[in-house]
Amino acid sequence: DSGVTQTPKHLITATGQRVTLRCSPRSGDLSVYWYQQSLDQGLQFLIQYYNGEERAKGNILERFSAQQFPDLHSELNLSSLELGDSALYFCASSEGGFNVLTFGAGSRLTVL
Amino acid sequence: SQQGEEDPQALSIQEGENATMNCSYKTSINNLQWYRQNSGRGLVHLILIRSNEREKHSGRLRVTLDTSKKSSSLLITASRAADTASYFCATPGRGSYKLIFGSGTRLLVRP
């Protein structure tokens, strides 16, 4: 157990739907990162939050949004889902510094 | 876009042999990290090497960094079947607030 908790572990949904992925960072970590891992795109950086504020953005689609709450947990919202959104979504957290990340086990999203 | 590119994409070796993976990156960095991912699981941090370091060891792992060539290598000595995994290098993105991962090397260690 890495200390980073992601829910749900697996999610199957249909095109056009909306889902929310949840992440609780490791105790004491203020930064949360979201990554998407698909077979053809590798591990893609989506977005990073630090203590509730957005710090960095990657190639995150407009259909995707995220936020970090005062208790430091984070949610990634994916809407108008397409088949190509099927992937593993990872949350990671860090305490800062050189950005050594602790990853959660991931949420596997399947869009049918 | 990928900052780092690993080479080779896949590597198959016999247990007990050494495994070497290489990573090339594009921009100046202040540190480089290596992570391991067992199939379908979360990545695990292995080692961080700073730009003023040339070599670093951790157990059976040896990492080198050549900033003039913008490249790093990860050597796993005396490999074990449990080392079977994908290995990724990662470098800070612009502004250092994000960590960009390479495409990874898939290592298979045959018993």
Side-chain angles (χ1 to χ4, degrees):
Chain A
D1 183 4
S2 68
V4 178
T5 304
Q6 288 190 248
T7 57
K9 286 186 169 50
H10 301 277
L11 192 56
I12 301 174
T13 188
T15 55
Q17 295 297 303
R18 173 189 169 95
V19 298
T20 296
L21 309 180
R22 195 178 191 278
C23 169
S24 293
R26 196 179 57 158
S27 178
D29 286 355
L30 299 179
S31 285
V32 168
Y33 303 72
W34 286 98
Y35 287 86
Q36 178 194 56
Q37 187 178 37
S38 55
L39 283 175
D40 58 346
Q41 291 291 319
L43 201 68
Q44 297 290 320
F45 170 75
L46 295 178
I47 199 162
Q48 186 230 349
Y49 284 86
Y50 176 81
N51 204 20
E53 291 189 10
E54 182 186 303
R55 270 279 178 93
K57 217 168 185 176
N59 295 326
I60 187 167
L61 299 172
E62 285 191 12
R63 300 184 286 108
F64 296 1
S65 65
Q67 54 183 323
Q68 186 180 27
F69 295 87
D71 67 352
L72 301 180
H73 91 271
S74 178
E75 292 181 356
L76 179 67
N77 300 296
L78 316 174
S79 61
S80 303
L81 286 168
E82 301 175 359
L83 296 177
D85 297 327
S86 294
L88 262 172
Y89 290 85
F90 286 107
C91 169
S93 70
S94 77
E95 54 184 352
F98 282 109
N99 291 353
V100 172
L101 303 187
T102 302
F103 278 78
S107 293
R108 182 175 294 279
L109 173 66
T110 302
V111 182
L112 301 176
Chain B
S1 62
Q2 303 297 116
Q3 157 76 311
E5 293 295 330
E6 282 90 341
D7 170 61
Q9 289 188 333
L11 182 60
S12 179
I13 59 173
Q14 204 72 33
E15 204 166 27
E17 293 179 340
N18 296 341
T20 299
M21 288 156 267
N22 302 296
C23 168
S24 60
Y25 56 92
K26 298 172 185 172
T27 61
S28 295
I29 57 172
N30 54 23
N31 71 87
L32 183 144
Q33 302 178 43
W34 285 89
Y35 286 78
R36 183 187 74 208
Q37 183 183 31
N38 290 86
S39 181
R41 299 193 160 206
L43 282 74
V44 175
H45 177 257
L46 295 176
I47 197 166
L48 179 151
I49 185 166
R50 299 176 185 178
S51 59
N52 61 353
E53 298 175 309
R54 290 295 168 260
E55 190 171 308
K56 199 164 182 179
H57 297 254
S58 176
R60 293 184 297 113
L61 304 181
R62 172 178 165 251
V63 168
T64 63
L65 179 64
D66 187 334
T67 54
S68 66
K69 294 181 180 178
K70 291 188 171 56
S71 67
S72 174
S73 68
L74 171 67
L75 168 67
I76 304 174
T77 59
S79 63
R80 305 166 181 168
D83 294 328
T84 293
S86 290
Y87 292 82
F88 296 86
C89 66
T91 52
R94 192 181 308 171
S96 298
Y97 290 131
K98 54 188 176 184
L99 202 58
I100 305 299
F101 287 81
S103 51
T105 292
R106 294 188 310 279
L107 174 66
L108 172 65
V109 181
R110 305 187 304 275

